[in-house]
Amino acid sequence: MLEDKLLILRLKRGCGEALERIYEKYRLYLLKIAAGLSDASIAEDVVHDVFVRLAKKAETLKASGSLKAYLRTCVINGVRNKVRNEKVRSYVELGRAGEIVSVQSGADHWVMLREQSVRLHEALKQIPFEQREVVVLHLHGDMRFREIAKLQQASTKTIQSRYRYGLDKLRSILNCEVQK
Amino acid sequence: MRPGKDIEKVIKQFDIDVNRDRDRRILDGLRQVQAKSKSSEHGFSRVGIGRIIMQSRTTKLAIAAIIIIAVLIGLNPFGGSIDGVSVAFGDVLKNSYKVQSFHALLNSNYEKCELWGKRGNKLRIEYSDGKYEISNGPVMWQVDKKKNKAIKKDSFYYKQAQRKGVDVLDYFLRRHSSEGCSGFFAEEPVEQIKEGGMLLNLYKTELEQYGNKISFEAKVNAKTNLLEYMKYTMVDEKGQSQISELKILEYDATISDQKFAFKPDEGMDVTIHEAKPQQDAVASTGGSTLSGRIVWAKNNKPVSEAILTIIAGKMIKDKNGRNRQEFFKRTETDRNGYWTLSGIPEGNVRIIVRSWELDWPAIPEFTTNIGNDKSPAIVVDGKTKYENLDFKVYKPQDFFARITINVVDENGDPIEGVGGNLSYVDGSIHGHVYAKAERQQFTGKNGRFDADNIWPSKRPVKLHLWTKGKFGAKYATRQAQSEPFIIEPKGEYHFDITLPFVRKVKVRVLGKDGKPVKEVSVSAINNSGMTVFPFYSDVFKGNFTDKDGFAAVSGLAPGEEFFISVQRLDSEKPDPGKPVSSAIFKAAAASDKSMPLKQVVFDERPVRIEGYCLLERPITKGRVVLRLAEIPGENTMPYLWEKIDESGKFTIDGVPATRIKLKVSYVDKKGKYVSVKGTLQVSSGNNYRVKVTEKQIVIEDKGNLTR
């Protein structure tokens, strides 16, 4: 959008106000995607790194590109790297979700999951990463299936299947919790 | 009950908050990082055009000048002329066409350089550290004598000048070095002074913006109306200052062409950057012509050199595979504020007038048949001339309206955490009720908020309230909206609101035998077909009757009429979107705070609809949606839905025994969505076979279900 292009131009010229506007505009969006794909601490690190790189290397931004897509891609790549490096698969039973809320809402944490999101967050972590990525990027990242297909280097049909399977799995995880 | 799309809705509810203190510290840290990277070594490294441009001192001045020019509008309008020869600052800059050359000194944040410009697209900039730039026609050299390096590339100055249709000399002197900048040059000088033997018109202003204190000063020769001196100073909230100062030493001196020539010395490290192909907007032949005028709202004075961006035409893929509209061009207003642009293809046209250094809104005076005041758009036919597409420009202090609200509950106690949205009467969003510090503001402990940067509206809007936390859990906010009103520029609007508590209804479900029915799902559906209870986040928890057949529904407004939906879910796969049997009952919430009891008799005999479509095969993206006929309207939420397989068959179980509306939709051979509708009356314990043709849906057969 034009506002983003203007912000990029201003940012490339070292405008602090532009950096602040970009930060305010996109940090929640990026944190939500990152938190949906991983856990809060990884999300914080990844998004923080993205903004630090933006502040340092604004001159490498292309004024013709989409700022939102650029930031989102940075976050997605960052999360993937972290998740693959750490091989984090935090399998937490839904019953322990209350603990996690209190840990994450400590004074030092940037991201705080809303209470009703904790269970969903834990359920998301129980589905395969590729499915989680498709679900989160489609429903929270505003990405279309063909864009996600390009990202995951798969066909659109595969992405749609991953999405469907992801939703089915989530539904059954959450239903099991209901039944408990 | 809700279909399988509920899981998507539940996932969309995933949300986070941020720790505000930590948020602020992170932002402070980012600013420091940015400041450090700005102060690190500049110059002639082997990077792309973009980077060099950013680090060029000249560009810094250009940026400062843009800010200066925009800020100038903060001057108190002078109104008249000084000694009969003063002109608006925009016209001063345009006087550059009179000169053939210039020689100047530039001081940018205490780094000094000397500049020469000559008509014929020639420019030379020498920095105090021995580096220099020479731009001669389309080619530019950046030279670092100390490091014995030189880079040859396309001239940024030439490119920008060509876009404006001017010489590089004009481009530089006018400081229009950035895309998207619109300088509003209608202002005139504040006084006349004598300095250095010259009579000078002084342009001056001071302004505070986004925490920065900005002061600007320009001196213009009253006789020649040429710029002699310009100084811009900005001090940010931390006391750090930026300064940019340009002093013209001489106009029209004889400057040899040799000054603008360069040949690398032997042994010099030379890098040549390949010329990039021109990326022009898609040119169109013929097309519509659009024209209009831009004036200041306050005094109707023309806005000259405002930049308009026109985006039009059909969507195409650019070289990076991204979708964009085929037509993208810019134009400027002339000294009388007029603009025109031709060759615009048929379709939707967006017109954007902006000043990107200061956010000054330009409001269309013409009727936008699509789009809105912030992003005005019209539809053109690709042939006709469209005239009088006029805009009025407002300074922020003359523009933004103010909304204050005071919210209490039914006991008169203030409610904290209430936010507001503004939407047009047709439902499209006008915007959130913004506040300065944050994007969304909520009422504080005193139940009030005060938002003073509300965008005016040309069409009526309504203010809708909502509360933090579970939507509708405590207060009945769904109906909390104002009467339509138009937001005038600088208007002030105050709302005193009493938000009622939600009302609850106790439901008792009995079977046909009069005995209580336990473990059936009970929900409340409003007059739009939307499930208002249980809340989205609790959909999978459900709301089930106890052993005595009791359950309660909440989230209702006082006196609200609604439907109770009772469903038996499959215990093996309890999907609220796919019940085994269901029934619908009308009910109403109490106007007072009481909780009435609604007793219903649930006939659990299932109803099934099996359909087949006599439509062209294969059926693509076919689906059948079931709505309750008692809820009027075409766009109410569906009660049940199912996919139609490629052979055209579908089955819907758990249909409520009532009058229902079915809608079958699919994609036809031409790729268009087509739908067929029908209304049926169904009763418990029956299996219905329906036939769907291109024109209707009819019951073909009915029989008892055996399970």
Side-chain angles (χ1 to χ4, degrees):
Chain A
M1 66 174 69
L2 183 69
E3 186 194 0
D4 276 4
K5 289 190 195 304
L6 300 174
L7 281 172
I8 293 172
L9 287 171
R10 293 177 73 185
L11 184 70
K12 281 150 81 79
R13 285 156 175 76
C15 174
E17 173 63 19
L19 178 66
E20 189 175 349
R21 292 276 288 264
I22 292 170
Y23 177 80
E24 278 177 2
K25 190 172 177 181
Y26 287 117
R27 80 195 184 303
L28 278 177
Y29 166 75
L30 297 172
L31 281 170
K32 215 196 289 192
I33 291 175
L37 293 176
S38 60
D39 58 37
S41 58
I42 291 178
E44 287 180 17
D45 287 346
V46 166
V47 173
H48 186 246
D49 285 350
V50 165
F51 277 108
V52 166
R53 271 205 308 278
L54 189 72
K56 266 190 187 165
K57 303 267 183 198
E59 64 270 23
T60 59
L61 272 179
K62 286 184 188 170
S64 56
S66 160
L67 179 60
K68 183 178 180 180
Y70 168 81
L71 292 171
R72 181 178 59 212
T73 304
C74 290
V75 163
I76 293 166
N77 290 339
V79 168
R80 279 174 169 183
N81 289 340
K82 289 258 178 190
V83 165
R84 281 170 192 164
N85 288 343
E86 296 183 16
K87 294 194 172 130
V88 171
R89 282 204 169 270
S90 66
Y91 242 93
V92 180
E93 287 176 35
L94 291 179
R96 286 189 55 218
E99 259 180 66
I100 292 158
V101 168
S102 62
V103 166
Q104 290 178 333
S105 58
D108 278 339
H109 282 283
W110 187 14
V111 170
M112 300 180 293
L113 289 175
R114 290 200 182 168
E115 195 173 329
Q116 63 258 34
S117 299
V118 173
R119 288 178 193 281
L120 179 57
H121 185 241
E122 292 315 305
L124 276 168
K125 278 153 71 170
Q126 292 182 47
I127 66 174
F129 184 79
E130 285 77 21
Q131 292 175 10
R132 191 189 327 154
E133 212 177 46
V134 175
V135 169
V136 169
L137 293 181
H138 184 61
L139 292 176
H140 287 290
D142 308 321
M143 288 180 77
R144 293 176 193 170
F145 286 139
R146 63 171 178 270
E147 289 173 306
I148 302 172
K150 212 171 165 181
L151 190 78
Q152 290 195 350
Q153 295 180 323
S155 69
T156 309
K157 279 211 157 85
T158 303
I159 299 304
Q160 286 169 341
S161 297
R162 284 179 185 167
Y163 182 69
R164 206 168 46 246
Y165 293 142
L167 289 188
D168 285 347
K169 189 110 201 273
L170 283 169
R171 196 181 287 121
S172 75
I173 293 168
L174 292 168
N175 278 344
C176 284
E177 170 57 18
V178 168
Q179 282 178 348
K180 274 180 197 169
Chain B
M1 205 28 172
R2 302 208 53 75
K5 284 286 184 189
D6 281 349
I7 183 64
E8 286 181 319
K9 287 203 167 102
V10 171
I11 297 168
K12 279 181 181 174
Q13 296 270 298
F14 176 75
D15 210 348
I16 58 168
D17 286 315
V18 289
N19 178 311
R20 292 273 170 215
D21 284 338
R22 181 79 193 271
D23 206 32
R24 254 192 299 275
R25 287 202 307 273
I26 288 172
L27 182 56
D28 286 347
L30 291 173
R31 281 196 164 213
Q32 285 171 23
V33 166
Q34 185 188 40
K36 270 192 196 153
S37 72
K38 272 196 278 186
S39 67
S40 61
E41 187 185 11
H42 285 226
F44 302 84
S45 53
R46 294 178 195 190
V47 290
I49 287 175
R51 191 166 178 186
I52 295 295
I53 288 167
M54 259 64 70
Q55 293 166 346
S56 154
R57 278 86 161 175
T58 310
T59 309
K60 267 196 185 168
L61 169 67
I63 303 311
I66 291 158
I67 297 170
I68 290 165
I69 286 154
V71 162
L72 183 57
I73 308 308
L75 280 177
N76 291 321
F78 188 75
S81 59
I82 304 177
D83 285 356
V85 294
S86 71
V87 291
F89 193 63
D91 292 329
V92 167
L93 296 179
K94 277 194 157 156
N95 276 335
S96 66
Y97 77 88
K98 292 182 193 171
V99 306
Q100 295 304 307
S101 72
F102 76 88
H103 178 200
L105 292 175
L106 174 66
N107 170 13
S108 178
N109 290 333
Y110 307 106
E111 291 184 71
K112 294 181 178 159
C113 62
E114 198 171 348
L115 308 104
W116 294 263
K118 185 173 176 178
R119 199 159 291 283
N121 296 306
K122 293 175 176 43
L123 187 70
R124 182 186 179 104
I125 307 166
E126 283 184 7
Y127 300 98
S128 51
D129 56 4
K131 295 176 184 167
Y132 57 95
E133 289 179 325
I134 293 176
S135 177
N136 193 338
V139 169
M140 179 165 148
W141 283 95
Q142 287 172 327
V143 183
D144 186 342
K145 271 278 190 190
K146 281 184 191 162
K147 292 186 179 174
N148 202 27
K149 278 183 176 176
I151 299 172
K152 182 183 177 186
K153 54 181 27 170
D154 290 351
S155 168
F156 163 76
Y157 305 105
Y158 181 77
K159 240 193 213 168
Q160 296 302 317
Q162 287 289 294
R163 284 171 88 141
K164 301 279 179 189
V166 298
D167 192 277
V168 165
L169 178 146
D170 303 305
Y171 165 72
F172 185 85
L173 283 179
R174 292 184 203 181
R175 309 296 192 262
H176 292 177
S177 67
S178 174
E179 290 183 348
C181 166
S182 60
F184 299 120
F185 303 141
E187 300 297 333
E188 291 179 354
V190 293
E191 64 175 300
Q192 216 164 49
I193 56 174
K194 268 195 178 142
E195 203 175 271
M198 285 189 286
L199 190 65
L200 300 167
N201 290 331
L202 181 66
Y203 295 78
K204 202 169 176 178
T205 192
E206 282 179 3
L207 184 68
E208 198 160 325
Q209 193 232 356
Y210 303 131
N212 302 313
K213 285 191 179 135
I214 298 165
S215 60
F216 163 76
E217 189 179 298
K219 294 171 189 169
V220 174
N221 189 316
K223 198 173 164 186
T224 62
N225 273 319
L226 288 173
L227 181 70
E228 298 290 344
Y229 172 83
M230 191 158 65
K231 182 177 177 183
Y232 158 86
T233 312
M234 184 177 81
V235 181
D236 66 22
E237 49 203 350
K238 291 185 179 160
Q240 292 176 345
S241 61
Q242 287 189 50
I243 175 172
S244 188
E245 196 176 9
L246 178 76
K247 184 173 168 52
I248 301 291
L249 297 174
E250 197 176 359
Y251 282 114
D252 290 333
T254 305
I255 308 176
S256 160
D257 282 349
Q258 275 303 109
K259 194 99 182 152
F260 306 100
F262 175 76
K263 192 178 166 188
D265 297 336
E266 212 164 304
M268 199 172 222
D269 180 358
V270 174
T271 305
I272 298 179
H273 287 166
E274 292 294 325
K276 284 193 178 170
Q278 288 278 316
Q279 285 179 344
D280 289 331
V282 172
S284 41
T285 51
S288 287
T289 298
L290 273 56
S291 62
R293 194 175 185 222
I294 304 183
V295 298
W296 285 104
K298 197 166 183 175
N299 52 20
N300 277 324
K301 281 167 89 170
V303 179
S304 64
E305 299 200 22
I307 293 190
L308 293 96
T309 305
I310 312 276
I311 304 171
K314 52 184 190 294
M315 296 302 281
I316 57 169
K317 280 215 185 312
D318 66 14
K319 62 171 188 179
N320 296 319
R322 282 184 293 246
N323 287 332
R324 66 169 179 89
Q325 281 180 277
E326 62 178 337
F327 185 92
F328 185 101
K329 265 196 179 164
R330 290 202 166 104
T331 187
E332 287 181 10
T333 54
D334 62 20
R335 63 178 295 173
N336 292 313
Y338 290 99
W339 62 274
T340 187
L341 195 64
S342 302
I344 298 171
E346 179 190 358
N348 298 350
V349 178
R350 274 194 301 138
I351 309 172
I352 300 160
V353 178
R354 290 289 292 271
S355 162
W356 62 276
E357 287 296 340
L358 294 172
D359 209 358
W360 292 343
I363 301 299
E365 291 295 292
F366 56 94
T367 303
T368 56
N369 47 13
I370 52 172
N372 55 50
D373 293 346
K374 291 182 197 172
S375 182
I378 56 171
V379 182
V380 306
D381 62 12
K383 289 181 274 198
T384 310
K385 275 189 182 175
Y386 296 83
E387 296 168 335
N388 300 319
L389 300 176
D390 300 336
F391 285 84
K392 281 202 162 140
V393 175
Y394 293 78
K395 293 177 198 173
Q397 60 266 30
D398 297 331
F399 180 74
F400 289 106
R402 186 176 175 205
I403 287 182
T404 52
I405 75 167
N406 189 26
V407 188
V408 297
D409 62 24
E410 286 176 283
N411 299 328
D413 297 321
I415 304 177
E416 188 181 353
V418 176
N421 284 348
L422 292 161
S423 60
Y424 294 107
V425 170
D426 63 9
S428 53
I429 298 293
H430 178 71
H432 289 298
V433 181
Y434 284 155
K436 268 187 186 159
E438 298 177 14
R439 282 290 165 200
Q440 287 176 328
Q441 189 177 34
F442 299 95
T443 51
K445 285 188 164 55
N446 58 2
R448 289 183 193 162
F449 76 55
D450 182 341
D452 62 359
N453 53 354
I454 305 298
W455 197 276
S457 71
K458 296 193 101 168
R459 294 180 283 142
V461 296
K462 288 197 228 183
L463 174 68
H464 299 259
L465 295 186
W466 56 286
T467 53
K468 281 184 181 179
K470 261 187 203 167
F471 184 76
K474 192 172 177 187
Y475 301 103
T477 49
R478 270 183 297 113
Q479 285 86 349
Q481 53 183 274
S482 69
E483 290 299 312
F485 65 107
I486 292 182
I487 306 174
E488 302 283 350
K490 285 181 73 67
E492 297 209 356
Y493 306 91
H494 177 74
F495 297 89
D496 282 309
I497 299 152
T498 302
L499 264 188
F501 296 110
V502 291
R503 298 304 192 248
K504 294 182 185 180
V505 172
K506 199 166 186 176
V507 179
R508 191 169 196 213
V509 181
L510 302 175
K512 281 180 73 176
D513 56 5
K515 291 184 180 165
V517 177
K518 64 179 181 178
E519 294 173 5
V520 287
S521 159
V522 175
S523 55
I525 299 177
N526 72 2
N527 284 329
S528 303
M530 192 171 81
T531 301
V532 297
F533 190 85
F535 307 115
Y536 283 144
S537 53
D538 297 331
V539 150
F540 284 94
K541 269 188 203 165
N543 182 41
F544 296 92
T545 50
D546 60 20
K547 58 179 174 52
D548 297 316
F550 287 106
V553 293
S554 179
L556 302 157
E560 183 179 2
E561 290 181 352
F562 67 102
F563 297 90
I564 296 171
S565 169
V566 178
Q567 291 185 337
R568 171 72 65 191
L569 304 184
D570 184 339
S571 57
E572 295 295 311
K573 2 175 207 181
D575 185 340
K578 293 182 189 297
V580 173
S581 55
S582 62
I584 300 289
F585 307 93
K586 271 189 176 169
S591 301
D592 58 23
K593 293 181 203 170
S594 66
M595 185 161 81
L597 172 67
K598 173 79 177 175
Q599 195 158 279
V600 298
V601 176
F602 181 27
D603 185 341
E604 286 199 54
R605 290 177 297 159
V607 178
R608 169 181 283 179
I609 292 178
E610 288 174 329
Y612 69 98
C613 302
L614 292 179
L615 306 164
E616 272 201 58
R617 303 279 195 275
I619 307 278
T620 315
K621 294 185 184 174
R623 61 178 231 162
V624 57
V625 167
L626 184 152
R627 291 183 168 88
L628 302 173
E630 283 205 81
I631 300 179
E634 289 298 315
N635 294 318
T636 56
M637 296 298 286
Y639 187 74
L640 295 172
W641 71 276
E642 282 296 344
K643 282 186 184 170
I644 302 174
D645 66 24
E646 283 191 354
S647 65
K649 290 185 183 157
F650 62 87
T651 302
I652 313 176
D653 278 316
V655 177
T658 182
R659 199 162 173 74
I660 57 166
K661 295 186 283 195
L662 284 183
K663 180 175 167 184
V664 166
S665 58
Y666 61 97
V667 176
D668 69 8
K669 269 191 164 180
K670 294 176 190 166
K672 278 192 173 172
Y673 261 104
V674 180
S675 61
V676 185
K677 296 175 197 171
T679 305
L680 315 172
Q681 178 71 47
V682 300
S683 49
S684 299
N686 286 306
N687 183 13
Y688 295 84
R689 191 165 76 205
V690 302
K691 180 173 77 175
V692 180
T693 65
E694 281 180 20
K695 294 221 175 347
Q696 59 182 352
I697 302 174
V698 293
I699 295 176
E700 208 174 53
D701 195 11
K702 157 184 149 180
N704 286 328
L705 271 173
T706 51
R707 291 261 173 128

PDB file of all heavy atoms in Angstrom, chain A residues 9 12 26 72 85 98 110-111 119 128 142 153 164 167 178:
ATOM      1  N   LEU A   9      10.458   4.533   2.233  1.00  0.00           N
ATOM      2  CA  LEU A   9      11.313   5.626   1.737  1.00  0.00           C
ATOM      3  C   LEU A   9      11.842   6.452   2.901  1.00  0.00           C
ATOM      4  O   LEU A   9      13.009   6.815   2.946  1.00  0.00           O
ATOM      5  CB  LEU A   9      10.517   6.521   0.784  1.00  0.00           C
ATOM      6  CG  LEU A   9      10.228   5.923  -0.606  1.00  0.00           C
ATOM      7  CD1 LEU A   9       9.254   6.800  -1.374  1.00  0.00           C
ATOM      8  CD2 LEU A   9      11.510   5.765  -1.392  1.00  0.00           C
ATOM      9  N   LYS A  12      14.424   4.436   4.904  1.00  0.00           N
ATOM     10  CA  LYS A  12      15.712   4.338   4.222  1.00  0.00           C
ATOM     11  C   LYS A  12      16.518   5.609   4.415  1.00  0.00           C
ATOM     12  O   LYS A  12      17.732   5.630   4.299  1.00  0.00           O
ATOM     13  CB  LYS A  12      15.499   4.075   2.721  1.00  0.00           C
ATOM     14  CG  LYS A  12      15.183   2.605   2.432  1.00  0.00           C
ATOM     15  CD  LYS A  12      14.302   2.411   1.200  1.00  0.00           C
ATOM     16  CE  LYS A  12      15.023   2.458  -0.110  1.00  0.00           C
ATOM     17  NZ  LYS A  12      15.724   1.220  -0.429  1.00  0.00           N
ATOM     18  N   TYR A  26       3.137  -3.176  12.746  1.00  0.00           N
ATOM     19  CA  TYR A  26       3.297  -4.590  12.402  1.00  0.00           C
ATOM     20  C   TYR A  26       3.746  -5.505  13.538  1.00  0.00           C
ATOM     21  O   TYR A  26       3.743  -6.720  13.365  1.00  0.00           O
ATOM     22  CB  TYR A  26       4.289  -4.720  11.227  1.00  0.00           C
ATOM     23  CG  TYR A  26       3.694  -4.256   9.925  1.00  0.00           C
ATOM     24  CD1 TYR A  26       4.225  -3.176   9.237  1.00  0.00           C
ATOM     25  CD2 TYR A  26       2.574  -4.892   9.394  1.00  0.00           C
ATOM     26  CE1 TYR A  26       3.652  -2.750   8.046  1.00  0.00           C
ATOM     27  CE2 TYR A  26       2.006  -4.470   8.209  1.00  0.00           C
ATOM     28  CZ  TYR A  26       2.546  -3.399   7.536  1.00  0.00           C
ATOM     29  OH  TYR A  26       1.982  -2.979   6.356  1.00  0.00           O
ATOM     30  N   ARG A  72       6.942 -10.345   7.178  1.00  0.00           N
ATOM     31  CA  ARG A  72       6.358 -11.656   7.468  1.00  0.00           C
ATOM     32  C   ARG A  72       7.306 -12.765   7.058  1.00  0.00           C
ATOM     33  O   ARG A  72       7.504 -13.727   7.784  1.00  0.00           O
ATOM     34  CB  ARG A  72       5.017 -11.775   6.725  1.00  0.00           C
ATOM     35  CG  ARG A  72       4.282 -13.067   6.934  1.00  0.00           C
ATOM     36  CD  ARG A  72       2.958 -13.058   6.193  1.00  0.00           C
ATOM     37  NE  ARG A  72       3.142 -12.868   4.769  1.00  0.00           N
ATOM     38  CZ  ARG A  72       2.275 -12.231   3.977  1.00  0.00           C
ATOM     39  NH1 ARG A  72       1.178 -11.711   4.486  1.00  0.00           N
ATOM     40  NH2 ARG A  72       2.506 -12.105   2.697  1.00  0.00           N
ATOM     41  N   ASN A  85      16.526 -25.652  14.454  1.00  0.00           N
ATOM     42  CA  ASN A  85      17.769 -25.751  15.221  1.00  0.00           C
ATOM     43  C   ASN A  85      17.522 -26.313  16.612  1.00  0.00           C
ATOM     44  O   ASN A  85      18.297 -27.114  17.120  1.00  0.00           O
ATOM     45  CB  ASN A  85      18.428 -24.368  15.355  1.00  0.00           C
ATOM     46  CG  ASN A  85      19.009 -23.914  14.038  1.00  0.00           C
ATOM     47  OD1 ASN A  85      19.194 -24.722  13.142  1.00  0.00           O
ATOM     48  ND2 ASN A  85      19.260 -22.628  13.916  1.00  0.00           N
ATOM     49  N   GLY A  98      -2.665 -23.602  32.335  1.00  0.00           N
ATOM     50  CA  GLY A  98      -2.734 -22.497  33.295  1.00  0.00           C
ATOM     51  C   GLY A  98      -1.356 -22.072  33.736  1.00  0.00           C
ATOM     52  O   GLY A  98      -1.021 -20.907  33.841  1.00  0.00           O
ATOM     53  N   TRP A 110       7.751 -10.104  26.655  1.00  0.00           N
ATOM     54  CA  TRP A 110       7.158  -9.139  25.730  1.00  0.00           C
ATOM     55  C   TRP A 110       5.769  -9.613  25.314  1.00  0.00           C
ATOM     56  O   TRP A 110       4.808  -8.865  25.317  1.00  0.00           O
ATOM     57  CB  TRP A 110       8.091  -9.041  24.514  1.00  0.00           C
ATOM     58  CG  TRP A 110       7.757  -7.982  23.521  1.00  0.00           C
ATOM     59  CD1 TRP A 110       6.910  -6.928  23.674  1.00  0.00           C
ATOM     60  CD2 TRP A 110       8.288  -7.878  22.212  1.00  0.00           C
ATOM     61  NE1 TRP A 110       6.878  -6.169  22.534  1.00  0.00           N
ATOM     62  CE2 TRP A 110       7.722  -6.726  21.614  1.00  0.00           C
ATOM     63  CE3 TRP A 110       9.205  -8.637  21.478  1.00  0.00           C
ATOM     64  CZ2 TRP A 110       8.042  -6.321  20.325  1.00  0.00           C
ATOM     65  CZ3 TRP A 110       9.515  -8.223  20.185  1.00  0.00           C
ATOM     66  CH2 TRP A 110       8.921  -7.088  19.629  1.00  0.00           C
ATOM     67  N   VAL A 111       5.724 -10.909  24.966  1.00  0.00           N
ATOM     68  CA  VAL A 111       4.470 -11.464  24.455  1.00  0.00           C
ATOM     69  C   VAL A 111       3.693 -12.118  25.583  1.00  0.00           C
ATOM     70  O   VAL A 111       4.256 -12.857  26.391  1.00  0.00           O
ATOM     71  CB  VAL A 111       4.769 -12.535  23.379  1.00  0.00           C
ATOM     72  CG1 VAL A 111       3.514 -13.293  23.003  1.00  0.00           C
ATOM     73  CG2 VAL A 111       5.364 -11.874  22.157  1.00  0.00           C
ATOM     74  N   ARG A 119      -4.994 -22.507  25.337  1.00  0.00           N
ATOM     75  CA  ARG A 119      -5.331 -23.883  24.937  1.00  0.00           C
ATOM     76  C   ARG A 119      -5.132 -24.074  23.450  1.00  0.00           C
ATOM     77  O   ARG A 119      -4.629 -25.095  23.003  1.00  0.00           O
ATOM     78  CB  ARG A 119      -6.774 -24.197  25.308  1.00  0.00           C
ATOM     79  CG  ARG A 119      -6.961 -24.352  26.789  1.00  0.00           C
ATOM     80  CD  ARG A 119      -8.418 -24.629  27.194  1.00  0.00           C
ATOM     81  NE  ARG A 119      -8.562 -24.448  28.621  1.00  0.00           N
ATOM     82  CZ  ARG A 119      -8.181 -25.350  29.524  1.00  0.00           C
ATOM     83  NH1 ARG A 119      -7.666 -26.487  29.145  1.00  0.00           N
ATOM     84  NH2 ARG A 119      -8.331 -25.114  30.815  1.00  0.00           N
ATOM     85  N   PRO A 128       1.661 -31.234  13.211  1.00  0.00           N
ATOM     86  CA  PRO A 128       2.942 -31.129  12.500  1.00  0.00           C
ATOM     87  C   PRO A 128       3.218 -29.690  12.052  1.00  0.00           C
ATOM     88  O   PRO A 128       2.289 -28.938  11.730  1.00  0.00           O
ATOM     89  CB  PRO A 128       2.751 -32.052  11.289  1.00  0.00           C
ATOM     90  CG  PRO A 128       1.718 -33.021  11.722  1.00  0.00           C
ATOM     91  CD  PRO A 128       0.807 -32.295  12.645  1.00  0.00           C
ATOM     92  N   ASP A 142      -2.913 -13.765   6.817  1.00  0.00           N
ATOM     93  CA  ASP A 142      -3.622 -13.252   5.632  1.00  0.00           C
ATOM     94  C   ASP A 142      -2.995 -13.741   4.344  1.00  0.00           C
ATOM     95  O   ASP A 142      -2.992 -13.038   3.338  1.00  0.00           O
ATOM     96  CB  ASP A 142      -3.630 -11.702   5.597  1.00  0.00           C
ATOM     97  CG  ASP A 142      -4.121 -11.117   6.890  1.00  0.00           C
ATOM     98  OD1 ASP A 142      -5.053 -11.675   7.464  1.00  0.00           O
ATOM     99  OD2 ASP A 142      -3.532 -10.117   7.343  1.00  0.00           O
ATOM    100  N   GLN A 153       7.128 -24.523  -0.912  1.00  0.00           N
ATOM    101  CA  GLN A 153       7.586 -25.229  -2.119  1.00  0.00           C
ATOM    102  C   GLN A 153       6.794 -26.520  -2.329  1.00  0.00           C
ATOM    103  O   GLN A 153       7.348 -27.617  -2.449  1.00  0.00           O
ATOM    104  CB  GLN A 153       9.083 -25.526  -2.024  1.00  0.00           C
ATOM    105  CG  GLN A 153       9.890 -24.241  -2.023  1.00  0.00           C
ATOM    106  CD  GLN A 153      11.381 -24.479  -1.938  1.00  0.00           C
ATOM    107  OE1 GLN A 153      11.825 -25.381  -1.251  1.00  0.00           O
ATOM    108  NE2 GLN A 153      12.132 -23.675  -2.666  1.00  0.00           N
ATOM    109  N   ARG A 164      -6.477 -28.672   5.703  1.00  0.00           N
ATOM    110  CA  ARG A 164      -7.641 -29.481   6.116  1.00  0.00           C
ATOM    111  C   ARG A 164      -7.251 -30.434   7.238  1.00  0.00           C
ATOM    112  O   ARG A 164      -7.931 -30.542   8.250  1.00  0.00           O
ATOM    113  CB  ARG A 164      -8.146 -30.256   4.887  1.00  0.00           C
ATOM    114  CG  ARG A 164      -9.616 -30.627   4.955  1.00  0.00           C
ATOM    115  CD  ARG A 164     -10.163 -31.116   3.629  1.00  0.00           C
ATOM    116  NE  ARG A 164      -9.317 -32.084   2.970  1.00  0.00           N
ATOM    117  CZ  ARG A 164      -8.696 -31.856   1.807  1.00  0.00           C
ATOM    118  NH1 ARG A 164      -8.823 -30.703   1.212  1.00  0.00           N
ATOM    119  NH2 ARG A 164      -7.964 -32.800   1.251  1.00  0.00           N
ATOM    120  N   LEU A 167      -6.679 -28.568  10.474  1.00  0.00           N
ATOM    121  CA  LEU A 167      -7.928 -28.190  11.135  1.00  0.00           C
ATOM    122  C   LEU A 167      -8.585 -29.401  11.776  1.00  0.00           C
ATOM    123  O   LEU A 167      -9.089 -29.327  12.898  1.00  0.00           O
ATOM    124  CB  LEU A 167      -8.902 -27.571  10.131  1.00  0.00           C
ATOM    125  CG  LEU A 167      -8.573 -26.184   9.590  1.00  0.00           C
ATOM    126  CD1 LEU A 167      -9.732 -25.644   8.761  1.00  0.00           C
ATOM    127  CD2 LEU A 167      -8.259 -25.204  10.694  1.00  0.00           C
ATOM    128  N   VAL A 178     -12.494 -31.090  25.495  1.00  0.00           N
ATOM    129  CA  VAL A 178     -13.876 -30.848  25.940  1.00  0.00           C
ATOM    130  C   VAL A 178     -14.403 -32.075  26.653  1.00  0.00           C
ATOM    131  O   VAL A 178     -15.022 -31.997  27.706  1.00  0.00           O
ATOM    132  CB  VAL A 178     -14.764 -30.491  24.722  1.00  0.00           C
ATOM    133  CG1 VAL A 178     -16.233 -30.532  25.089  1.00  0.00           C
ATOM    134  CG2 VAL A 178     -14.396 -29.122  24.213  1.00  0.00           C
TER     135      VAL A 178
END
